[in-house]
Each structure stands twice: as structure tokens, then as C-alpha cells.
Amino acid sequence: MIASDHSPDCWRGSEYRENTTHHRAFDPPALWNLGLGPGDSLLDVGCGVGDLTVALADHYPRAQVIGVDASRSQIDQARRHRHPRVRFEVRRVQDLQWDKRFATVNSIACLHWIPVEEHPLVLDRIFRALVPGGRLIASFAARENIEEIRRIIFSVAVQSPFHQYVQGRLPHHPWPSLARYREIVSRSPFGGFEELRMETQRRHFSHTRLVGWLRTQTLTGYRTLLPSEVFEALVATVGEQVAALTQEGPDLYVVPFVRLQLQARRPGTAV
């Protein structure tokens, strides 16, 4: 994940590593048809614990791959892969300094952790990092994402004992609408997009995975605000209500994710 500032690291890479399966089932198909060969490089922005990064390196055995994430905890876990063609770095996307380096930049389940006001800078940094003709592939939360679950989270967070720590703060930044993101990309150096659409994904969880997702991803923004025992109480309270909302069978819980799917390309001539 890519943090928007230098606040304490709210991620726990060892826990997050156990709860990424639901993402991998919905990675954009375009990632596996890039045709990367010798001399090509790929940058995974917000690589987390590096499972997708390493899978891409294995899929493109002649390409060099770099994964970046603002969370040291995530990168510490990612480096355990010890892949010979993958390098992992602790770095914010806002601080990227590469110029015409990568054939592809991908970012999955990351950009929604960055305030939308900073996305023009993010897109500028990514554009500069791409070679002419290089492509950005991104998937991230739309404004409509997990609306009912968010209502549960906010209603619980104003209750005792959580409210005294949360004090009205949200666990994440507001997410952009499709219309707003069309405008942002159109005004970026990309000047437009090859694809930008909204997609609903029915993601299946066991009860253990559902609570793991809440603890390691959905409620992550509250982790540094609450004492550990209060945070776990929040996870339990939210988890009980979310389970009741999403259960569709014995140990089957279905959560509709709403994602923005973006593909944009740097023009094929030097810009």
C-alpha cells in the first residue's frame, strides 16, 4: 500500500500476506498479455507483500521487475520472496524519480489509499517513469465501493469505546467517482485513457478470511489510532455485523467490490 504521508506504518505485512487471495482472483487480465521481453522493465506500485510482483516476474522471465510500497512492514515481507529478478523498495509513488524506465506500471488495490487530490501528481510521476508507448494498468476502489459495509464501520466507530479515539475520522480517504477520474486522467500528461470503467466484483470469503480482510485492509486506517485491544474489539464488532450482512451460505460471505479499471498509455514518441 502507498501511504499519503509519513504517519506511523499502520500495515502489518505478516498479517496482510495471509489475506490477499481475494485480490489475486480479480487481477486485470491485461497484466498477463503484456509481451514483456529482454530489456523491458515492470514497476508494481503499491506492491504490498509482493505476491503479484513475483507472479508477474515468473510470467515474464526475461523482464526486470521492481516493486515499491510506502510500508516498510510490507516490503520486509515482500523481500522474503528472494526472487533473482525482483527488487523491492520502500518508496511512495509520489516520490518516484524514474524517467522513461518502465514498459509497464501496474497498481492494484493501492491508489485508493492516496488522497484523490494527490492523484494528478501520482499520474505525472507514473507517466514520467514509463517509456514512450509504455502502459499504466490500475485497479482501485470507486466511490461506490463497499457502501453498506462502510455504513456499518462508521456507525460502530461513533460508539463507545471507539469514538474517543476515532473522533469522527474515516479509516481511509474518500474515493473518486468514475466521472471525476475521467477528468483527472484527461488533465494528466496521459491526456486520456485506453480504458476507464467501473466494475463490480463479487468476492467470496470464508468467515476467517472476511474478518482477516477487515482487520488487515478495511479497518487498517484505525490501527494506529486505537490501543491494540480496542482495535481488536472494533474488528470483532464490525466483523459480526458485516458477517450478518454478507452471509450467503455455510461459511460463505460475498462482498461486492466496486473498482475503477484504468489503462492509459504514454504516447509512442518521446514527450
Side-chain angles (χ1 to χ4, degrees):
M1 305 297 110
I2 299 291
S4 63
D5 53 35
H6 297 286
S7 58
D9 191 348
C10 60
W11 299 95
R12 299 294 184 270
S14 59
E15 293 181 358
Y16 182 81
R17 181 185 59 199
E18 304 301 320
N19 293 279
T20 62
T21 306
H22 71 98
H23 285 313
R24 300 292 74 85
F26 290 93
D27 289 329
L31 288 174
W32 312 106
N33 295 286
L34 297 171
L36 300 178
D40 289 331
S41 295
L42 179 147
L43 176 65
D44 187 3
V45 167
C47 65
V49 295
D51 49 341
L52 174 60
T53 323
V54 168
L56 288 168
D58 288 340
H59 190 74
Y60 299 107
R62 296 181 293 175
Q64 296 298 312
V65 179
I66 298 175
V68 298
D69 201 290
S71 166
R72 180 167 296 280
S73 176
Q74 300 278 54
I75 292 297
D76 285 345
Q77 289 295 317
R79 286 172 175 162
R80 295 189 176 195
H81 290 287
R82 302 186 185 282
H83 195 287
R85 286 182 296 102
V86 180
R87 185 170 85 244
F88 291 105
E89 299 183 4
V90 180
R91 189 182 301 210
R92 301 190 321 151
V93 64
Q94 299 96 317
D95 300 328
L96 296 181
Q97 296 296 326
W98 283 297
D99 184 53
K100 301 184 181 71
R101 170 70 182 276
F102 299 99
T104 300
V105 173
N106 69 271
S107 181
I108 309 302
C110 162
L111 297 184
H112 48 256
W113 293 102
I114 301 174
V116 70
E117 292 78 13
E118 296 183 28
H119 282 221
L121 173 62
V122 166
L123 292 174
D124 179 76
R125 292 287 190 264
I126 291 174
F127 181 90
R128 291 175 181 273
L130 287 166
V131 300
R135 183 160 52 155
L136 164 64
I137 299 175
S139 176
F140 53 100
R143 181 180 61 186
E144 297 83 356
N145 191 52
I146 58 169
E147 285 184 310
E148 292 181 281
I149 292 175
R150 282 187 287 144
R151 281 194 284 270
I152 290 174
I153 293 170
F154 303 155
S155 68
V156 171
V158 297
Q159 300 173 17
S160 178
F162 315 115
H163 68 91
Q164 63 178 307
Y165 303 101
V166 173
Q167 296 182 347
R169 284 174 283 192
L170 304 180
H172 51 72
H173 307 290
W175 297 323
S177 66
L178 176 60
R180 184 172 185 188
Y181 220 78
R182 282 175 175 158
E183 181 179 353
I184 290 172
V185 179
S186 296
R187 292 183 176 182
S188 77
F190 288 100
F193 42 83
E194 294 183 334
E195 175 185 80
L196 179 56
R197 59 186 174 83
M198 194 162 62
E199 176 181 284
T200 300
Q201 305 167 345
R202 283 174 55 83
R203 301 199 180 190
H204 293 187
F205 296 85
S206 67
H207 187 269
T208 298
R209 295 298 189 191
L210 179 71
V211 176
W213 165 63
L214 291 169
R215 174 183 289 107
T216 66
Q217 294 156 59
T218 314
L219 295 169
T220 307
Y222 285 149
R223 188 186 288 271
T224 58
L225 300 179
L226 279 61
S228 59
E229 67 277 7
V230 179
F231 177 73
E232 290 303 323
L234 177 68
V235 172
T237 304
V238 171
E240 182 178 352
Q241 295 187 32
V242 170
L245 172 70
T246 60
Q247 186 167 18
E248 293 195 8
D251 205 31
L252 172 62
Y253 302 83
V254 179
V255 179
F257 279 48
V258 183
R259 290 309 208 217
L260 295 181
Q261 305 287 6
L262 168 66
Q263 293 188 44
R265 192 180 296 272
R266 180 167 181 165
T269 56
V271 174

